[in-house]
Amino acid sequence: MKAAIATEFGSILKIEEVAQPQIKPHQILVKIHACGVCHTDLHACHGDWPVKPSLPLIPGHEGVGEVVEVGAAVKHIKLGDRVGIPWLFSACGHCEYCLSGDENLCLSQQNAGYSVNGSYAEYCAADADYVVKVPEGLNFLEAAPLFCAGVTTYKALKVSTAKPGNWVAIFGIGGLGHLAVQYAVAMGFRVVAVDTGEAKRQLAMSLGAEFFFDFKMDNVVDLILEGTGGVHASVCTAVSKAGFRQSYDVVRRGGKCVLVGLPPEDLPLPIFNTVLNGVSVVGSIVGTRKDLEECLEFAARGKVKAIIEEKKLDDINTIFADMEKGEITGRIVMSM
Ligand code: NAD
Ligand code: ZN
Ligand code: ZN
């Protein structure tokens, strides 16, 4: 099968013919029809984070397609089912976190396109218990980004505990952020969006944001405080420490700052303001299978729609270059 492979951190991916994966009894084989390109894949291929993947690696954790082989022990998935393979490739199913509905925190989890091969390929093996079905009425191209960008931002908004009518600031209107704006609007929140450039401004406003501020031109913090009196919650998907600091500074007393983006940097936390303002700073990592089902349901009901540009596996290195420059509007989805 054809696959894109990372062989060295920081180098371009190689497009090669490799053997199709062999499945284990609890697994299924998925013929990948589409796979979104997440900024996490770029971090993986650059070895940006403290825990690095081992190479060679096939990246990709927004792969969706059709089940073409079913392991002997699998009962609930059948040939022809339409499924997606998310970042949470598998979890142990019996630890404290798995048992309390926090499987995304399982210490024994595996991650698609990071600790195991992912969906930048024509076929991908998956754990049958951790794939999620694509609902009727959603095609593969529009479903793919929901398997990471969608579920991650939907979950982060739940973690924010914002209520209908509350102000939520979304920092970074990229693959994740453009879906965050839509989920926030669908959940009844009022949205302030922050990114740079006319394309992102138009995108955010067309999706229902009430304000857009440009982090390169505007005094973002003052303008948000002026326009909203301080947001009840912020969700930061920006790949920039400066964006995280601003997402903290715009939260009103008692509000929540939800950290989602993963720039390889640290954020010094002002103790005095955090204490006196009673602000919570909380991380949010992808979502559970249940979160994913709910997030797909929003899209199936037409409340949320990923803005996508279709490309091919052969384009991956130019897609990564554009992503690094912040020049992508919405999500790029590779069709196989
Ligand atoms: P993307 O490249 O599509 O979007 C990032 C956006 O941030 C771009 O539009 C860029 O212009 C914008 N940006 C950069 N600096 C900014 C600033 N100072 N203020 C506001 N916006 C700024 O990336 P993506 O695929 O949306 O991923 C975003 C980040 O989220 C990555 O670090 C990725 O690894 C991480 N991520 C986290 C989770 C999770 O579960 N927590 C899941 C998926 C991705
Ligand atoms: Zn992702
Ligand atoms: Zn577990």
Side-chain angles (χ1 to χ4, degrees):
M1 67 170 187
K2 190 170 167 176
I5 305 171
T7 53
E8 210 183 322
F9 292 125
S11 292
I12 60 166
L13 299 194
K14 292 182 180 150
I15 311 289
E16 281 176 6
E17 279 298 320
V18 295
Q20 214 166 284
Q22 302 285 319
I23 58 164
K24 304 194 176 96
H26 65 286
Q27 291 188 323
I28 56 174
L29 186 68
V30 181
K31 179 175 171 29
I32 300 297
H33 284 251
C35 183
V37 178
C38 180
H39 208 115
T40 290
D41 303 332
L42 188 55
H43 292 306
C45 296
H46 283 178
D48 275 345
W49 296 336
V51 180
K52 298 183 200 316
S54 44
L55 304 181
L57 172 76
I58 301 176
H61 56 274
E62 287 187 353
V64 291
E66 189 192 340
V67 177
V68 292
E69 202 183 325
V70 178
V74 177
K75 302 278 177 259
H76 69 296
I77 300 273
K78 58 181 192 317
L79 287 179
D81 279 353
R82 295 172 354 119
V83 298
I85 310 169
W87 172 256
L88 189 67
F89 180 88
S90 66
C92 79
H94 49 75
C95 71
E96 172 192 348
Y97 304 106
C98 285
L99 291 177
S100 44
D102 291 324
E103 64 202 23
N104 51 324
L105 303 182
C106 176
L107 281 158
S108 308
Q109 70 184 271
Q110 291 205 293
N111 299 117
Y114 209 87
S115 62
V116 295
N117 280 333
S119 295
Y120 283 12
E122 288 173 318
Y123 294 88
C124 187
D127 186 314
D129 283 338
Y130 286 86
V131 295
V132 170
K133 287 186 184 166
V134 177
E136 296 265 315
L138 273 189
N139 68 41
F140 286 131
L141 285 170
E142 58 192 5
L146 304 175
F147 278 80
C148 175
V151 68
T152 298
T153 51
Y154 172 63
K155 176 71 163 190
L157 288 161
K158 282 172 126 183
V159 168
S160 83
T161 63
K163 296 179 181 55
N166 282 180
W167 281 108
V168 174
I170 310 293
F171 282 74
I173 307 300
L176 264 62
H178 91 285
L179 285 164
V181 172
Q182 297 184 58
Y183 280 106
V185 169
M187 291 158 98
F189 310 149
R190 304 183 69 185
V191 176
V192 188
V194 181
D195 205 304
T196 189
E198 207 34 49
K200 308 263 167 91
R201 173 189 299 276
Q202 277 178 24
L203 178 63
M205 297 304 282
S206 72
L207 298 173
E210 290 179 53
F211 293 113
F212 177 93
F213 298 118
D214 189 316
F215 70 83
K216 287 192 181 157
M217 321 272 287
D218 298 326
N219 190 335
V220 167
V221 174
D222 288 351
L223 288 169
I224 294 182
L225 293 177
E226 214 174 275
T228 67
V231 295
H232 298 83
S234 62
V235 172
C236 187
T237 75
V239 191
S240 142
K241 179 179 171 173
F244 278 81
R245 179 57 212 233
Q246 292 182 333
S247 75
Y248 172 87
D249 286 337
V250 298
V251 173
R252 73 170 63 185
R253 289 191 157 203
K256 275 210 174 78
C257 175
V258 186
L259 314 186
V260 172
L262 285 158
E265 294 162 311
D266 283 331
L267 174 71
L269 200 61
I271 297 172
F272 187 81
N273 284 345
T274 307
V275 173
L276 267 80
N277 295 342
V279 164
S280 309
V281 178
V282 58
S284 187
I285 177 76
V286 292
T288 63
R289 289 164 288 181
K290 184 71 177 73
D291 295 318
L292 183 47
E293 270 180 16
E294 291 169 13
C295 123
L296 289 163
E297 199 56 39
F298 273 78
R301 288 192 295 122
K303 301 289 176 201
V304 164
K305 191 172 170 54
I307 306 294
I308 58 154
E309 189 183 341
E310 182 180 349
K311 298 218 166 164
K312 296 285 175 198
L313 195 58
D314 293 307
D315 300 323
I316 186 59
N317 291 306
T318 48
I319 300 170
F320 271 178
D322 289 345
M323 182 172 263
E324 229 170 341
K325 288 183 257 160
E327 281 173 2
I328 295 170
T329 307
R331 194 58 133 194
I332 304 280
V333 180
M334 301 183 293
S335 58
M336 308 291 170

